[in-house]
């Protein structure tokens, strides 16, 4: 690193993949929780942005679609942040080095003596073909693949002659608005007009739409779509393999968008995605822990301590190192967890002698640590955490199904400016107390039995 780079932040030029958050590179996901600022472009799926930590600093930069009028390399805001010494994740759709202006951006970073790293992503062409159910190469059918820009149709940039005479698979980016010209060049240079073609918009997202045709018919079919989503056009005999390889079409929740409002619902989210759903977890609050020195002194003076919920146990766990208490000094204190979740938190830190019982069974002398929810008639209580509302960091999109796990999340959802986008979805909860509250907002909740999260996901897929 040169002397000029010492006080500058590093820029990570990262591919976000084609759209499905499950296809985000592991390195990129790791950086989302480490960098100072995430700068993302307009093509990034909101479900992907939801993977960022709740306190992440996020800024929308860039543009949507091709814009030949761009006069800069790297976005000026990214340069500004890096010159301030901040590490920046420049998150781009697809792969930054495949029609992503990666060359121009890296040259600009070099000119400003800003260190950078490149993280490749799954390009849209590959993601589109796989999610549409066919390969780009196949033995005896296609042994080569050409990635080409259909927008910049100049012969100086692309050899239409070789692509017309070739028999391999052709993947056209940014070609929807000029498909008639692209088809004309391919046919004039030797491609069979009956060659299979597929137009795939919003690849790997819940909005993915596939339109099949041939070189002879595809331009007319695309014109009739009235679809402004980014699209990939794939030309070649491999398109015909969809009838036997379209794996996603067999999934029960294929292309359904599910919004999950609540916390610690990772197992449910994974089960929904295994069934084909594109899910987005939208935390609307974060726990704010309230144990200070005074509360801690009161807690440690007790002989019996009970934990009403998981977050109360987390508050206790967090306070141990903060106030310098060795867990061995808790040997004389009776610990009681009111539920499996709080028990597991205490078990993680070595408090294996913790008992489990319901709140109604607690001894009268137990100090019950709790959060904002009512703790019933127990007389000896201490609130150790509360909910802190989180700001909406990115736009919401249409949802087919919405699961809500607590009252606070429901009220926060219904107050969002974009609530109308999700109001028409099918709503679910495992808490009967939310059903009458939902009616006040015009929502008709479907009750699902409180069961392991995987079973609840299956019930959502069936109803």
């Amino acid at each position: 690193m040169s002397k000029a780079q010492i006080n500058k932040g590093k820029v990570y030029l990262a591919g976000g993949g084609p759209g499905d958050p499950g296809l985000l590179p592991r390195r990129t996901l790791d950086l989302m929780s480490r960098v100072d600022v995430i700068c993302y472009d307009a093509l990034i799926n909101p479900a992907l942005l939801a993977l960022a930590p709740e306190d992440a600093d996020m800024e929308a930069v860039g543009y949507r679609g091709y814009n030949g009028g761009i006069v800069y390399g790297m976005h000026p805001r990214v340069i500004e942040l890096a010159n301030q010494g901040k590490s920046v994740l420049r998150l781009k759709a697809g792969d930054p080095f495949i029609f992503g202006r990666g060359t121009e951006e890296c040259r600009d970073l070099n000119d400003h003596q800003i260190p950078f790293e490149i993280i490749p992503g799954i390009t849209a062409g590959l993601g589109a073909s796989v999610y549409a159910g066919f390969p780009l190469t196949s033995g005896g059918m296609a042994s080569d693949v050409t990635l080409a820009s259909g927008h910049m149709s100049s012969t100086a940039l692309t050899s239409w002659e070789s692509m017309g005479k070739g028999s391999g698979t052709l993947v056209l980016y940014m070609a929807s608005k000029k498909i008639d010209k692209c088809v004309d060049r391919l046919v004039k240079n030797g491609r069979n007009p009956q060659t299979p073609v597929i137009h795939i918009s919003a690849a790997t997202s819940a909005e993915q739409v596939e339109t099949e045709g041939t070189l002879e018919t595809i331009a007319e079919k695309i014109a009739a779509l009235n679809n402004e989503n980014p699209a990939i056009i794939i030309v070649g005999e491999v398109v015909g393999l969809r009838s036997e390889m379209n794996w996603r079409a067999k999934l029960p929740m294929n292309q359904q968008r599910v919004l999950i409002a609540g916390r610690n619902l990772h197992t449910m989210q994974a089960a929904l995605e295994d069934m084909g759903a594109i899910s987005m977890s939208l935390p609307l609050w974060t726990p704010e822990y309230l144990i200070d020195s005074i509360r801690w002194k009161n807690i440690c003076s007790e002989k019996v301590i009970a934990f009403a919920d998981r977050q109360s146990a987390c508050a206790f766990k967090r306070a141990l190192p903060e106030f310098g208490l060795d867990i061995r000094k808790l040997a004389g204190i009776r610990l009681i967890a009111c539920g499996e979740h709080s028990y597991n938190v205490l078990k993680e830190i070595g408090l294996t002698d913790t008992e489990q019982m319901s709140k109604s069974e607690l001894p009268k002398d137990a100090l019950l640590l709790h959060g904002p929810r009512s703790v019933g008639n127990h007389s000896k209580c201490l609130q150790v955490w509360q909910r802190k509302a989180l700001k909406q960091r990115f736009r919401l999109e249409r949802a087919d199904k919405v699961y809500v796990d607590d009252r606070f999340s429901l009220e926060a959802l219904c107050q969002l400016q974009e609530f109308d986008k999700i109001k028409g979805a099918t709503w679910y909860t495992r808490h009967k107390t939310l059903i009458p509250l939902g009616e006040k907002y015009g929502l008709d909740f479907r009750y699902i039995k409180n069961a392991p999260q995987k079973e609840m996901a299956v019930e959502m897929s069936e109803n």
Side-chain angles (χ1 to χ4, degrees):
M1 181 178 292
S2 67
K3 291 183 179 180
Q5 293 178 314
I6 291 177
N7 295 321
K8 294 191 177 185
K10 186 174 182 178
V11 172
Y12 299 87
L13 184 57
D20 186 339
L23 302 179
L24 183 72
R26 176 66 180 271
R27 173 66 171 159
T28 302
L29 180 61
D30 177 55
L31 287 167
M32 290 175 79
S33 62
R34 289 174 41 201
V35 297
D36 296 315
V37 186
I38 300 172
C39 291
Y40 62 93
D41 64 36
L43 295 177
I44 293 294
N45 189 340
L48 191 153
L49 298 176
L51 298 176
E54 296 155 5
D55 59 349
D57 187 356
M58 303 170 67
E59 295 187 22
V61 299
Y63 56 91
R64 184 180 181 90
Y66 176 76
N67 184 346
I70 292 178
V71 295
Y72 55 80
M74 179 57 72
H75 193 281
R77 179 58 176 160
V78 176
I79 299 292
E80 178 185 0
L81 291 167
N83 280 331
Q84 293 173 4
K86 294 182 178 181
S87 57
V88 183
L89 177 65
R90 178 65 178 99
L91 186 59
K92 302 173 71 72
D95 181 277
F97 273 15
I98 297 182
F99 304 115
R101 300 184 67 254
T103 302
E104 296 90 333
E105 291 180 327
C106 290
R107 284 173 175 167
D108 200 6
L109 291 170
N110 277 330
D111 289 343
H112 286 84
Q113 296 187 296
I114 295 172
F116 61 87
E117 177 181 326
I118 311 297
I119 299 95
I122 296 175
T123 185
L126 178 58
S129 65
V130 171
Y131 273 48
F134 65 93
L136 293 179
T137 64
S138 183
M141 185 175 289
S143 59
D144 62 90
V145 180
T146 300
L147 309 182
S149 168
H151 185 94
M152 297 173 285
S153 53
S154 168
T155 54
L157 296 172
T158 305
S159 176
W160 292 96
E161 182 179 359
S162 62
M163 291 191 296
K165 292 179 178 178
S167 60
T169 304
L170 174 60
V171 183
L172 294 174
Y173 290 68
M174 303 170 288
S176 295
K177 294 182 179 180
K178 293 191 176 182
I179 186 60
D180 52 344
K181 294 182 179 179
C182 294
V183 166
D184 184 60
R185 289 194 176 205
L186 289 171
V187 173
K188 282 183 177 180
N189 283 287
R191 281 269 179 161
N192 187 335
Q194 299 306 313
T195 303
V197 183
I198 188 169
H199 175 274
I200 306 170
S201 63
T204 78
S205 77
E207 305 296 331
Q208 177 169 317
V209 175
E210 301 127 18
T211 305
E212 287 190 70
T214 64
L215 282 176
E216 191 173 50
T217 64
I218 195 65
E220 183 178 351
K221 290 187 175 185
I222 292 175
L225 285 176
N226 192 27
N227 187 334
E228 294 297 323
N229 284 326
I232 291 290
I233 297 172
I234 302 178
V235 181
E237 298 299 329
V238 291
V239 175
L241 295 173
R242 292 189 73 210
S243 59
E244 57 182 300
M245 292 183 154
N246 198 351
W247 60 280
R248 284 194 66 84
K250 301 174 184 178
L251 299 176
M253 298 188 73
N254 180 34
Q255 289 189 263
Q256 291 188 38
R257 180 180 281 122
V258 182
L259 178 63
I260 302 173
R263 301 186 66 85
N264 304 308
L265 297 168
H266 311 297
T267 303
M268 172 188 285
Q269 186 171 5
L272 290 168
E273 291 171 354
D274 283 344
M275 291 185 285
I278 303 295
S279 68
M280 180 167 72
S281 178
L282 186 65
L284 296 159
W285 58 270
T286 188
E288 183 176 30
Y289 299 122
L290 306 175
I291 298 181
D292 53 19
S293 58
I294 297 176
R295 282 185 173 90
W296 185 246
K297 186 176 181 181
N298 291 339
I299 292 171
C300 292
S301 66
E302 297 294 330
K303 295 182 178 179
V304 184
I305 303 173
F307 302 86
D309 49 51
R310 181 182 184 277
Q311 294 298 343
S312 296
C314 288
F316 184 78
K317 174 184 175 180
R318 181 174 175 272
L320 286 173
E322 183 176 346
F323 294 103
L325 180 64
D326 190 321
I327 62 171
R328 289 174 292 185
K329 294 183 179 180
L330 299 173
I333 299 178
R334 183 183 177 190
L335 301 177
I336 302 172
C338 300
E340 183 180 355
H341 296 305
S342 53
Y343 175 79
N344 289 337
V345 172
L346 298 172
K347 185 179 178 181
E348 288 174 3
I349 57 175
L351 299 175
T352 54
D353 293 333
T354 302
E355 303 172 45
Q356 287 193 72
M357 66 178 67
S358 66
K359 295 184 185 74
S360 60
E361 298 173 317
L362 290 176
K364 292 183 179 180
D365 62 338
L367 175 64
L368 180 60
L369 307 185
H370 66 93
R373 293 179 62 181
S374 171
V375 292
N377 297 323
H378 194 77
S379 58
K380 202 172 181 181
C381 305
L382 180 65
Q383 184 172 352
V384 294
W385 72 276
Q386 63 187 7
R387 292 187 178 96
K388 180 182 178 182
L390 294 172
K391 293 182 180 179
Q392 184 181 349
R393 299 175 299 164
F394 42 81
R395 71 185 190 279
L396 280 183
E397 294 192 344
R398 174 195 61 80
D400 299 294
K401 298 185 177 183
V402 179
Y403 175 82
V404 183
D405 203 50
D406 60 82
R407 180 190 183 99
F408 190 95
S409 293
L410 174 59
E411 292 176 339
L413 269 181
C414 295
Q415 292 169 12
L416 293 177
Q417 290 183 350
E418 298 172 305
F419 174 62
D420 286 344
K421 289 185 177 181
I422 59 174
K423 186 176 181 179
T426 305
W427 291 65
Y428 300 84
T429 186
R430 58 178 167 179
H431 303 292
K432 290 183 177 179
T433 55
L434 292 185
I435 296 175
L437 179 60
E439 292 175 353
K440 295 181 180 179
Y441 294 101
L443 304 174
D444 183 16
F445 269 101
R446 294 188 181 184
Y447 173 71
I448 54 178
K449 184 180 178 181
N450 190 358
Q453 291 184 24
K454 187 176 291 187
E455 293 180 23
M456 291 195 293
V458 172
E459 187 170 348
M460 286 176 64
S461 73
E462 296 174 345
N463 296 290

